[in-house]
């Protein structure tokens, strides 16, 4: 994560977004190398791919997130 400057990574099962894994969470929880992603990931904050601009800005403001994944109406990850 550090090498690519990706501080948050989406966690997907199949194509469906199920959570987020952040560098900050990994450092603060002092995770062992044997830990499973599902025990470390945070619940997901996401935006629909057809969201309007005011909703997008509001979501960033209220969650204070650096990255918010974009999903379709079926929960499939489209981008971040």
């Amino acid at each position: 994560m550090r090498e690519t400057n990706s501080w948050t990574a989406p966690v997907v099962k199949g194509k469906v977004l199920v959570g987020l894994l952040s560098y900050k969470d990994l450092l603060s929880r002092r995770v062992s190398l044997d830990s499973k992603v599902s025990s470390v990931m945070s619940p997901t904050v996401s935006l629909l791919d057809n969201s309007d601009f005011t909703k997008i800005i509001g979501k960033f403001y209220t969650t204070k997130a650096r990255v918010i994944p974009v999903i379709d109406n079926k929960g499939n990850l489209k981008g971040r």
Side-chain angles (χ1 to χ4, degrees):
M1 290 175 110
R2 187 186 315 185
E3 292 171 0
T4 60
N5 287 329
S6 298
W7 304 110
T8 305
V11 179
V12 294
K13 187 173 187 177
K15 293 182 180 181
V16 178
L17 180 68
V18 294
L20 295 172
L21 183 62
S22 74
Y23 189 71
K24 182 180 173 182
D25 288 342
L26 292 174
L27 291 178
S28 67
R29 295 183 188 175
R30 298 180 188 214
V31 178
S32 75
L33 295 175
D34 297 326
S35 298
K36 296 193 182 264
V37 172
S38 59
S39 66
V40 182
M41 70 181 188
S42 301
T44 187
V45 174
S46 60
L47 288 163
L48 289 173
D49 57 358
N50 61 357
S51 296
D52 64 356
F53 190 69
T54 53
K55 183 169 183 161
I56 295 168
I57 296 301
K59 184 77 87 160
F60 273 102
Y61 182 76
T62 58
T63 62
K64 296 183 172 61
R66 287 182 172 188
V67 175
I68 300 178
V70 178
I71 59 172
D72 63 13
N73 58 359
K74 295 179 182 176
N76 296 326
L77 182 65
K78 298 304 240 178
R80 59 181 191 127

